[in-house]
Amino acid sequence: MEQFLTFGIVGLSTAAIYAVIGSGLVLTYVTTGVFNFAHGAAGMLAAFCYWQFTVGWGWPVPVALALVLLVLAPAFGLAVERVLMRPVQRLGEAERLVMTVALLSGAIAAARWIWDPNVPRPLSVFFADKKPFHIGPATLTWHQALTMAVAVGVAAGLWFLLNRTRTGAEMRATVDDRALVRLTGADPIRASRVAWILGTQLAAVGGILIAPTVALDASQLSLLIVSAYTAAVFGRLRSLPLTFAGAVVVGCLESYLTGYLPQNPYLPGLRLAAPALLLFLALLLFRHPGLRHRDRRLVQVPAPSLRGTLVFAASTVAFGIVLATVLDESQLATYGPIFSLGIVALSYVPLAGYAGQISLCQLSMAGIGAVTYGHLGAHGELWALAAAIAVSGAAGALIAVPALRFSGVYLALGTAAFTVILDRWIFTLPSFDLFGARISLFDQGSVDMNGPDLLGLRLDSAAELTVVAAVCLGLASLAIAWLRRSGFGRRLIALRDSEAAYATLGGNLLLTKVAVFALSAGIAGLGGALYGMQQRSITADQFNLVAGLPIFLVAVIGGLGAVGNGLFAGTAFLGPNVLIGVASWTQNIVTVLPALAGMGLGHSPEGIVARFRRDWEPLGHDLIALPALLGALALGWVLRLTDAINGWTFLAGSLVTALALRSWAAARRAPKTEPDVPVEWWGIRRPWRPQDGEVLVRATAGR
């Protein structure tokens, strides 16, 4: 009984922290209609700043707490509301969600940049010098008591704010109808600002309270928010009492699993994955209210032309051949995955771009494909590549069945929870037998990968695998373009526009969602298998949630409806590594770039690929500039192959030539317009026209 009470107290103290963080999450959502995926990252940054002030610089604890909670946290929340969220408030729910995902990824990258993740940073609990006191047979530390008291104070304060103050009423009314709130004399911008400030302060309080009990790690602290997500889902994203109840369930579940989970090599990961598993079950079992601000401002997805797609696919293969021939083995290890990771990014196009289903688990699907090929294709069996696609597709279909109950934010939460379950539990399992078959995943280590055997020719060098990946990306792009032009593609667009209307008109939601999830997961599995071949060896950490966020962001930045998004995303994700080759100190800057680009989504919601296509279209139709560009590129390639020039000269020359010819082609295509000449100079600076007299007469009569 003593052990049961002890674990119960530990669980309640952890639950208090989850309740504080979850209440801030609910407050932000109820007031602004934005589900903040970066809420945990705000707490993580606060914990690191608190460590820096107290341990790193030796400041007094009260001063450090006041600076973090009363200055830095409100400033961070205010900056997020003003700079990031207000510009995308006019856009749809998906764009606002992507903005918070970008903020999460950027915060983790920034924390790793500022604080070296290889240096341990322990934090002492509050009142560590005071002796704990006893409640019956159980022991309660002062830190645990403080945590519970803070949670009770937060609950009372939020209830009073939302129900007994004008500011609280203004905050609750803002999300329902911003225009009506303005008519009453209230300020919805001020309400949103207050919500972001308070929500960030609550996240900071939770981060500081939990940091002494866990490792001060950017990813781990940021993903503790999964437990707060679960508590918020218990509260239906609107009820603070139910959020606190959900936090108690999560905290006690974690604590009792720690104390009573049997010693078994298959179960340690279950305790780590328990909050995500509980989140997934809560999403399945609870009825969810209609999402606030479900204003669907959808970007058009035009059907790509057959000729343009063929040219693009051929260009992709040509690009792969050029890279394979001008880069050495070490350089191909860095830039060769442009095409394999591009295939993973391309898997977002049918799922999110066509069908409107937001998924955060595509890199996990790639991991399933990679590990499947690694075990089945140990000797280069080509059929193992098809098996990898099939197994990944089956996993995607498995997600689609429960995902029928999810939409919008709930779907993103469900797929994120599924990814965390894979990361923390499934991928960490040792080999096991299932129905007489031996199942092996990562075997708590790494899996060696080999290239495929094609018609007796073993493709195993970095150059050969780069060309294979480029060919696969070109073919996958053709398939996605064909899908958009097919009847099934049109049904996916209809599903994106309105699920209710799609079902009303006879569409089968279950079959359509299962098909598109399976298709996109199969594409991701193909990309994962090719990526594993190029890496030679893979581990589970390469396919976790944090690793997948930048790929998701660059795919969104490119434009989820664009067939060329795969090549763009792969290039945008790995291309900046060129900066690291020039100056190694830019490595941290490169890791932050995807998040920074994602934060700029509000300025180009249709994606960069569409803008890129418009900017370069004059060059593609110019009968002089285009052949000149192709000839210049071919000449540069030959000079590079003969070592007449180095790779940097070839790259710089190609870019300068392409930009110059594009500008020239655009100028040739621009309509010829005469400058606006003042009326008193007609007949002098330009010829006199017969209609000019009539214009002057009418202008004079009008006076």
Side-chain angles (χ1 to χ4, degrees):
M1 186 63 181
E2 179 180 352
Q3 185 182 21
F4 182 84
L5 290 176
T6 300
F7 283 118
I9 290 176
V10 172
L12 289 176
S13 63
T14 306
I17 298 174
Y18 294 158
V20 171
I21 300 175
S23 60
L25 188 66
V26 171
L27 175 67
T28 305
Y29 180 77
V30 167
T31 306
T32 67
V34 177
F35 189 90
N36 185 13
F37 266 86
H39 194 68
M44 175 269 296
L45 290 175
F48 271 100
C49 291
Y50 174 73
W51 177 91
Q52 187 64 54
F53 295 150
T54 56
V55 180
W57 295 342
W59 290 10
V61 169
V63 175
L65 285 176
L67 182 59
V68 173
L69 298 180
L70 301 180
V71 178
L72 296 183
F76 183 79
L78 187 62
V80 170
E81 188 277 332
R82 179 65 183 88
V83 179
L84 297 182
M85 302 313 303
R86 195 182 301 177
V88 298
Q89 192 68 39
R90 58 183 175 81
L91 301 178
E93 177 192 17
E95 287 78 9
R96 297 196 295 270
L97 176 65
V98 168
M99 192 65 70
T100 62
V101 171
L103 183 59
L104 168 62
S105 179
I108 293 174
R112 289 174 173 173
W113 181 359
I114 299 170
W115 294 280
D116 186 354
N118 298 316
V119 176
R121 292 180 173 82
L123 262 177
S124 299
V125 297
F126 289 99
F127 306 112
D129 55 338
K130 290 191 175 183
K131 293 183 178 180
F133 52 93
H134 299 276
I135 301 178
T139 301
L140 184 68
T141 67
W142 283 91
H143 182 88
Q144 292 171 332
L146 173 66
T147 301
M148 297 179 190
V150 168
V152 173
V154 166
L158 287 179
W159 180 88
F160 182 81
L161 171 68
L162 294 175
N163 295 280
R164 291 292 184 269
T165 66
R166 176 178 174 79
T167 300
E170 185 178 87
M171 292 166 65
R172 287 185 289 111
T174 296
V175 73
D176 291 326
D177 194 326
R178 297 175 71 89
L180 185 60
V181 168
R182 289 191 182 95
L183 293 177
T184 64
D187 187 355
I189 295 179
R190 180 179 60 199
S192 298
R193 188 183 301 128
V194 171
W196 279 103
I197 290 174
L198 289 178
T200 305
Q201 285 181 307
L202 291 175
V205 170
I208 292 173
L209 287 175
I210 203 170
T213 62
V214 298
L216 202 59
D217 177 78
S219 297
Q220 183 176 350
L221 276 176
S222 297
L223 292 183
L224 283 173
I225 192 64
V226 172
S227 301
Y229 289 165
T230 308
V233 169
F234 265 84
R236 313 306 203 270
L237 300 182
R238 61 172 61 181
S239 170
L240 289 176
L242 289 178
T243 298
F244 274 71
V248 171
V249 172
V250 177
C252 291
L253 177 66
E254 290 182 354
S255 181
Y256 286 126
L257 283 177
T258 301
Y260 294 103
L261 198 66
Q263 296 297 321
N264 187 303
Y266 300 98
L267 295 180
L270 176 61
R271 184 188 66 81
L272 299 176
L277 186 61
L278 190 61
L279 171 60
F280 197 80
L281 293 176
L283 289 169
L284 283 177
L285 298 178
F286 293 162
R287 289 179 59 87
H288 307 300
L291 289 171
R292 305 293 185 95
H293 266 220
R294 291 298 305 278
D295 45 329
R296 306 295 299 276
R297 303 192 180 186
L298 301 173
V299 177
Q300 294 296 321
V301 184
S305 66
L306 180 60
R307 175 182 174 276
T309 307
L310 287 172
V311 171
F312 172 77
S315 301
T316 301
V317 176
F319 182 41
I321 294 173
V322 170
L323 287 185
T325 53
V326 303
L327 301 181
D328 57 29
E329 290 284 326
S330 61
Q331 291 171 329
L332 284 175
T334 301
Y335 302 107
I338 282 175
F339 305 101
S340 55
L341 292 179
I343 295 174
V344 177
L346 186 65
S347 69
Y348 285 105
V349 174
L351 182 64
Y354 295 172
Q357 306 298 306
I358 304 173
S359 172
L360 297 179
C361 67
Q362 292 305 101
L363 191 63
S364 295
M365 298 297 102
I368 293 174
V371 76
T372 300
Y373 178 83
H375 288 295
L376 299 181
H379 302 289
E381 293 86 351
L382 191 60
W383 61 266
L385 196 59
I389 297 173
V391 173
S392 300
L398 182 64
I399 299 174
V401 175
L404 187 65
R405 288 180 55 86
F406 308 156
S407 63
V409 155
Y410 296 122
L411 181 58
L413 281 172
T415 53
F418 187 81
T419 300
V420 174
I421 293 169
L422 290 177
D423 297 345
R424 297 183 176 179
W425 184 25
I426 304 301
F427 283 166
T428 65
L429 291 174
S431 301
F432 58 93
D433 293 317
L434 182 64
F435 302 117
R438 190 68 174 174
I439 305 297
S440 297
L441 298 174
F442 290 92
D443 289 331
Q444 299 179 320
S446 61
V447 177
D448 294 331
M449 304 285 289
N450 297 300
D453 189 346
L454 182 62
L455 302 177
L457 179 63
R458 188 62 174 269
L459 305 176
D460 206 34
S461 69
E464 292 168 342
L465 292 174
T466 298
V467 175
V468 169
V471 171
C472 290
L473 177 57
L475 293 176
S477 300
L478 283 173
I480 295 300
W482 172 83
L483 174 68
R484 174 61 184 89
R485 298 172 64 90
S486 68
F488 182 65
R490 291 190 291 273
R491 289 197 295 272
L492 292 180
I493 297 297
L495 175 68
R496 182 195 68 150
D497 291 344
S498 174
E499 291 187 8
Y502 180 79
T504 302
L505 295 176
N508 191 314
L509 285 177
L510 177 60
L511 291 180
T512 305
K513 282 194 174 184
V514 168
V516 71
F517 267 90
L519 173 65
S520 63
I523 295 172
L526 171 63
L530 294 170
Y531 176 70
M533 296 177 200
Q534 293 177 297
Q535 295 297 300
R536 308 293 182 182
S537 178
I538 55 172
T539 62
D541 290 339
Q542 293 173 278
F543 303 98
N544 60 28
L545 177 63
V546 175
L549 292 180
I551 298 178
F552 171 71
L553 289 176
V554 293
V556 173
I557 296 163
L560 293 176
V563 172
N565 198 12
L567 181 61
F568 167 82
T571 305
F573 183 62
L574 295 178
N577 288 327
V578 172
L579 298 175
I580 301 177
V582 176
S584 59
W585 57 268
T586 60
Q587 181 174 0
N588 290 314
I589 298 176
V590 169
T591 60
V592 178
L593 285 179
L596 294 178
M599 294 174 191
L601 175 68
H603 303 288
S604 183
E606 78 276 9
I608 294 178
V609 173
R611 178 182 296 183
F612 186 85
R613 185 188 302 115
R614 290 194 301 268
D615 292 343
W616 289 82
E617 186 178 8
L619 177 61
H621 290 85
D622 195 294
L623 298 180
I624 299 177
L626 181 59
L629 175 61
L630 295 177
L633 293 178
L635 177 61
W637 183 32
V638 172
L639 293 175
R640 177 65 187 94
L641 292 179
T642 57
D643 289 329
I645 59 175
N646 59 26
W648 294 112
T649 303
F650 174 63
L651 175 62
S654 299
L655 289 176
V656 170
T657 302
L659 291 173
L661 289 174
R662 187 201 70 171
S663 300
W664 184 63
R668 279 165 44 85
R669 197 178 183 186
K672 305 298 183 181
T673 58
E674 295 182 355
D676 188 15
V677 178
V679 63
E680 58 269 21
W681 292 100
W682 289 1
I684 300 175
R685 291 186 177 177
R686 70 164 177 80
W688 179 267
R689 299 169 183 168
Q691 63 269 27
D692 289 346
E694 183 179 354
V695 172
L696 290 176
V697 170
R698 289 182 178 178
T700 304
R703 292 180 181 177

